[in-house]
Amino acid sequence: MTGAPPPEQEGLRDWFAPRRSLPAGPPWVPGPRRVFPDEQVWPPPPRPSGEEAGVSTQPFPAVPAAPLPRPAAPCRPQEPAGAGAVGTGIGTAVGTGLPPDARAGTDAPEEPAPPAGVAVPRRRRTAPLAGAALLAVALAVAIPAWENYLFYRSGNPAYRIHPVAPGGAGTLMNVSWRAEVEPADSLPGLGAAKPGRKWLKITVTRTSLNAEGVLRRADPVIEVRHPDGRAWRTEIAGNDLPPEAAEHRIGTAYRYDAISLVPGDVAGQVEVRVIPSTLRVPLREESTAELFERAGTEQVEPQDQVLLFRR
């Protein structure tokens, strides 16, 4: 019994139906390429403003420009002769263009404005700048010089002179000092002096006044100087101090023999300077540890005391 299949079997028939082959023809060809217009994605484009051109209220930056020329001062009208004393009758003050009462209330006349197109000169500051530069240079030179002077004086202190009358004695650091000078043409062991020169035989004696004076028994510095500042070399030839400190007696005079060679014309004018030593020599021999311990406790004294023996 044949007949048309029911409607629900139509789909199945199509499914199980044999596949038809594609008709032979040219291969597959792609279609035309679509071109999309450029569009800003990020950051989002600004929204269009509803304002019209030329009505924006956003301020514009100031543009630097040359200042506008100042208006010229009003010209003074010519007045007839004697108008300043008699009055103009117009009710304004002469040369100001202001009412009389306004001018009377001012303390000083206003400076007239410069003409248009004329540059106003700036105030010069040459004098303050020059003064500051000179002060800086002076400080730059004075400060190092002062520091160098202090460093020099730390090793070469300024002398404190103690004049001694001729034939007198001077006392420093518990020691009494005397000096005698004797010119000579020749000395034993040194021979005769050259023409125009003389030998000076200098005898300096020291006397310890107490035990502290005994400790100050180090050799002094002896100088020969002229009052005008000239100086000559002086050498200590010998002394009669006892070699041991225990043999040094208080109140006993001990002698230093010194010699110098000076021009003959100043042999009777030169003066002797004695600079006592500030060292304290112990009475007995000390160990190294004792020396270091004593050096840390004693105060270092400047060797600046000078006895000046006049002639």
Side-chain angles (χ1 to χ4, degrees):
M1 186 174 168
T2 63
E8 59 272 9
Q9 295 181 1
E10 289 291 336
L12 296 176
R13 188 184 60 182
D14 296 339
W15 178 263
F16 290 101
R19 299 286 183 178
R20 297 180 181 179
S21 60
L22 295 176
W28 177 80
V29 179
R33 182 179 179 182
R34 297 181 60 183
V35 179
F36 296 93
D38 293 338
E39 183 179 357
Q40 181 178 348
V41 178
W42 188 261
R47 296 183 180 180
S49 176
E51 300 179 354
E52 299 179 0
V55 297
S56 177
T57 58
Q58 183 176 359
F60 291 92
V63 179
L68 298 177
R70 299 177 61 180
C75 298
R76 176 181 175 181
Q78 296 182 358
E79 302 293 343
V86 180
T88 58
I90 305 178
T92 59
V94 178
T96 61
L98 298 175
D101 54 350
R103 184 180 181 184
T106 58
D107 296 336
E110 183 181 358
E111 297 181 358
V118 178
V120 180
R122 300 182 61 181
R123 294 182 179 179
R124 297 183 178 180
R125 299 182 179 179
T126 306
L129 293 177
L134 291 177
L135 179 60
V137 172
L139 291 178
V141 175
I143 292 177
W146 178 251
E147 292 178 352
N148 293 337
Y149 175 77
L150 294 180
F151 178 77
Y152 170 78
R153 282 305 181 194
S154 62
N156 300 275
Y159 289 141
R160 291 184 285 177
I161 307 298
H162 303 278
V164 180
T171 302
L172 282 179
M173 292 178 288
N174 301 289
V175 179
S176 177
W177 298 86
R178 288 179 179 272
E180 297 178 358
V181 181
E182 181 182 353
D185 294 329
S186 63
L187 290 178
L190 297 176
K194 295 182 179 181
R197 295 179 176 272
K198 278 186 176 296
W199 289 105
L200 292 182
K201 183 180 179 181
I202 305 170
T203 303
V204 176
T205 59
R206 56 157 294 154
T207 304
S208 299
L209 303 180
N210 48 34
E212 180 65 22
V214 175
L215 296 179
R216 305 279 185 166
R217 66 181 182 276
D219 293 343
V221 177
I222 302 175
E223 297 179 351
V224 172
R225 286 181 176 269
H226 194 272
D228 61 4
R230 290 180 294 171
W232 293 268
R233 183 179 178 182
T234 306
E235 296 287 345
I236 296 179
N239 62 72
D240 61 352
L241 272 73
E244 299 294 335
E247 300 176 2
H248 196 108
R249 297 290 182 260
I250 299 174
T252 302
Y254 296 99
R255 184 182 72 254
Y256 289 95
D257 296 326
I259 56 175
S260 181
L261 185 63
V262 299
D265 56 346
V266 299
Q269 304 173 4
V270 294
E271 301 171 341
V272 177
R273 291 189 175 191
V274 177
I275 307 175
S277 176
T278 58
L279 297 178
R280 301 177 78 253
V281 183
L283 297 178
R284 61 178 180 84
E285 187 176 356
E286 296 179 337
S287 63
T288 305
E290 292 175 339
L291 288 174
F292 277 102
E293 183 180 357
R294 183 169 57 86
T297 57
E298 290 185 346
Q299 183 180 2
V300 179
E301 302 178 34
Q303 194 169 353
D304 57 353
Q305 305 286 339
V306 179
L307 290 172
L308 175 60
F309 293 91
R310 300 192 184 280
R311 300 287 301 279

